[in-house]
Amino acid sequence: MTGIVVLNYNTYDATIECISAIEKRIKCEYKIYLVDNASEESCKDKLKNKYSSNCNVNTIFLDKNLGYSGGNNVGISTAINEGASEILILNSDVIILNDIVSIMKKELSSMVAIVGPKIYTPMRENGQFLRKNYTFASALTDKKPFYYVRKIFPKLDSCYSVKNWDASITFEGMVSGCCFLISSDVFKQIGLFDDNVFLYAEEYILGKKLQNVNLMACYCPEAIIVHNHGASTRKIGNGFSDYHRYASLYYCFKRYCNPSKYQVNTIRFLTLTNFFLKSFFHPDFKEN
């Protein structure tokens, strides 16, 4: 059985569309673990009415918003405890276009731990990003003014350059976190999401965890989804989102990249400088 974890935060319409597509297109044995991350009461009430009698949807209501990592961990733990052999992480703003579970399961192996699909935006543009493992160079060029160095040296980009998105790719790093399949045994081996990060950097952290046990990620173009990126984070605001992006990337670097004291201090200085400069021009940043 595959456990499909869908995290909802005030995205009722998107969530039911996501689950409807799962029910139409997934052909293998599965169970949906719908985790509500402390949404508004009206949203929770609608979810209860919609899925209370659906035995294939286990709806879990949290009293507190645990973020992407913490919320997904609740669903993952429940699925593993109920015997799921694989876990599909699926954002609520994703629509699957075919039986992605059956397709991606074929790519899992003793060396390939995580598989991600081809991703389209609503405008039919590419939405998949194959992330390299995070390093000091990554952390440094994430921030201005060093960000512009990537224009001169493309090899410093945090994502792989892909010429043919119709070919399968196995690589060191991580696929997009909006949709990926992973063996439950691998989650047990490397640990679940690091719930010290509320939002962002989850892909980089998983990539580093895979690197530590010599496991790879795989991009599988036969599995296809559409991702309406950021439906839940747009409801919160840019200041909130950017605060967690800065904080999570700094935490990822300090915790998982074995940096020197000099490197930690350099990234801390750049992170704080960039965030405080933004706060002068965007009032909502000052709330964080």
Side-chain angles (χ1 to χ4, degrees):
M1 183 265 287
T2 298
I4 302 177
V5 179
V6 178
L7 189 63
N8 174 78
Y9 178 69
N10 291 322
T11 55
Y12 173 77
D13 291 336
T15 296
I16 62 170
E17 189 176 4
C18 173
I19 292 176
S20 176
I22 294 170
E23 294 172 332
K24 289 177 182 176
R25 298 187 172 105
I26 300 300
K27 306 303 180 186
C28 62
E29 183 184 2
Y30 70 90
K31 186 171 183 178
I32 299 169
Y33 296 84
L34 173 57
V35 181
D36 181 83
N37 225 350
S39 297
E40 296 172 357
E41 289 300 322
S42 59
C43 181
K44 290 191 284 189
D45 289 341
K46 288 191 286 187
L47 289 176
K48 290 174 184 176
N49 292 333
K50 180 73 175 178
Y51 296 114
S52 60
S53 60
N54 190 329
C55 61
N56 210 30
V57 180
N58 183 349
T59 309
I60 304 166
F61 295 95
L62 304 182
D63 296 327
K64 180 182 178 181
N65 187 342
L66 301 181
Y68 176 93
S69 294
N72 273 310
N73 282 346
V74 173
I76 294 164
S77 298
T78 306
I80 291 175
N81 289 337
E82 293 187 358
S85 53
E86 304 88 23
I87 303 295
L88 178 71
I89 300 297
L90 195 65
N91 279 19
S92 62
D93 53 3
V94 164
I95 303 297
I96 66 171
L97 299 186
N98 56 10
D99 184 5
I100 64 172
V101 173
S102 298
I103 295 169
M104 293 196 296
K105 277 174 67 173
K106 297 175 183 178
E107 302 293 339
L108 292 175
S109 68
S110 59
M111 291 300 296
V112 174
I114 284 178
V115 183
K118 177 180 285 188
I119 301 176
Y120 287 117
T121 70
M123 302 301 293
R124 300 295 290 184
E125 298 171 338
N126 173 60
Q128 179 64 274
F129 300 97
L130 309 186
R131 286 168 173 79
K132 301 175 184 176
N133 282 322
Y134 211 57
T135 63
F136 176 59
S138 307
L140 189 66
T141 57
D142 269 343
K143 314 293 184 302
K144 294 179 180 178
F146 297 103
Y147 174 81
Y148 300 106
V149 175
R150 293 182 180 181
K151 305 294 183 181
I152 305 172
F153 302 103
K155 288 185 178 181
L156 292 175
D157 199 296
S158 58
C159 294
Y160 290 98
S161 176
V162 177
K163 294 181 180 179
N164 181 11
W165 286 102
D166 293 324
S168 178
I169 303 169
T170 299
F171 62 100
E172 294 182 349
M174 180 59 190
V175 296
S176 171
C178 73
C179 176
F180 66 88
L181 186 72
I182 180 172
S183 163
S184 295
D185 287 338
V186 171
F187 256 146
K188 294 175 186 176
Q189 180 183 4
I190 66 174
L192 307 186
F193 287 110
D194 186 332
D195 55 17
N196 287 300
V197 296
F198 185 87
L199 192 65
Y200 298 116
E202 303 92 353
E203 293 102 336
Y204 288 125
I205 292 173
L206 273 182
K208 297 298 286 187
K209 287 185 173 186
L210 294 182
Q211 183 183 32
N212 289 339
V213 292
N214 298 313
L215 292 174
M216 311 279 279
C218 175
Y219 162 67
C220 177
E222 289 81 16
I224 307 172
I225 68 169
V226 175
H227 183 207
N228 179 24
H229 182 69
S232 59
T233 54
R234 283 199 299 269
K235 295 177 180 293
I236 301 171
N238 289 333
F240 178 92
S241 299
D242 273 20
Y243 168 78
H244 283 287
R245 180 167 62 86
Y246 282 115
S248 296
L249 287 170
Y250 173 70
Y251 170 82
C252 172
F253 175 70
K254 185 177 179 181
R255 169 68 177 80
Y256 290 96
C257 295
N258 300 315
S260 67
K261 186 176 181 180
Y262 164 77
Q263 290 173 333
V264 170
N265 289 335
T266 299
I267 299 305
R268 180 191 294 124
F269 173 77
L270 287 173
T271 298
L272 291 173
T273 300
N274 272 266
F275 187 81
F276 285 128
L277 284 174
K278 277 194 171 184
S279 71
F280 283 111
F281 301 99
H282 303 281
D284 58 327
F285 278 65
K286 298 176 183 179
E287 300 172 7
N288 296 281

